[in-house]
Amino acid sequence: PGPGQREPQLESLRPSAPAPQPAALSRDFEPTENDQAEFTQVLLGVQQAWSAGDLTALRQWATPEMVAFLAADLNQNAAEGIVNRVERVVLRRGDVVESWRENGAEYITARLGFDCLDYMIRRDNGAVIGGSQVVPQHHTENWTFIRSDTGGPWRLSAIQPA
């Protein structure tokens, strides 16, 4: 992107306050196949809600703190008259980086590699100002998921560059 255009990457969506992290990378437990399928659904759900600017849908997939950070980015885009579209998301790889239990919650950080159409458009006329509507981009990010240690749905709690 040229001057004044924002790079259409999800790395800008990470919270400024990181999720609690153990002192050293560890794997206190392994995710089940169901957990892994749920992480994929969270990825797809967050991307769809982000593209639609749908905070209600984001609340289904992310913690309140993460929704607040995403909402701030959506508001900034709106103030600039731009929309970030992320479409046709295909998870190519997901690797657990670490897992731990802390304060009644389970955390898993996974390095997600995915392809998608990722582009910025002007809200007023739909002109593409960054990225591509036809050429997929590859992203690799660390997504941290959280749930109660008694079970329940996984929620996105942080996004960080890999």
Side-chain angles (χ1 to χ4, degrees), residues 2-161:
Q5 296 176 351
R6 291 172 43 169
E7 185 69 28
Q9 295 187 4
L10 295 176
E11 287 142 3
S12 65
L13 303 182
R14 65 183 176 273
S16 59
Q21 298 286 322
L25 297 182
S26 64
R27 289 174 73 152
D28 292 350
F29 61 94
E30 294 297 323
T32 66
E33 285 186 28
N34 286 340
D35 292 336
Q36 293 174 16
E38 194 170 347
F39 300 151
T40 301
Q41 290 307 305
V42 172
L43 170 68
L44 298 175
V46 166
Q47 300 296 10
Q48 184 175 8
W50 167 260
S51 287
D54 187 343
L55 293 177
T56 300
L58 279 171
R59 287 182 187 95
Q60 175 185 349
W61 304 109
T63 63
E65 297 82 8
M66 192 67 200
V67 170
F69 287 108
L70 296 172
D73 282 350
L74 287 170
N75 290 336
Q76 180 65 37
N77 285 352
E80 294 176 16
I82 59 176
V83 178
N84 181 203
R85 298 281 189 227
V86 180
E87 302 168 344
R88 299 186 192 164
V89 178
V90 178
L91 180 64
R92 299 290 182 198
R93 185 174 181 120
D95 298 308
V96 174
V97 175
E98 60 186 330
S99 62
W100 71 100
R101 293 179 176 93
E102 183 177 334
N103 299 324
E106 292 181 328
Y107 294 86
I108 288 183
T109 296
R111 180 167 292 117
L112 304 180
F114 58 95
D115 296 333
C116 61
L117 298 179
D118 186 353
Y119 58 97
M120 302 292 274
I121 61 172
R122 287 182 45 146
R123 186 179 298 276
D124 59 356
N125 64 13
V128 176
I129 59 171
S132 173
Q133 291 178 299
V134 295
V135 178
Q137 295 183 29
H138 183 77
H139 296 277
T140 302
E141 300 169 338
N142 289 334
W143 284 42
T144 299
F145 303 92
I146 183 176
R147 74 171 174 194
S148 168
D149 63 5
T150 59
W154 289 100
R155 299 284 182 252
L156 175 65
S157 67
I159 299 173
Q160 300 168 329

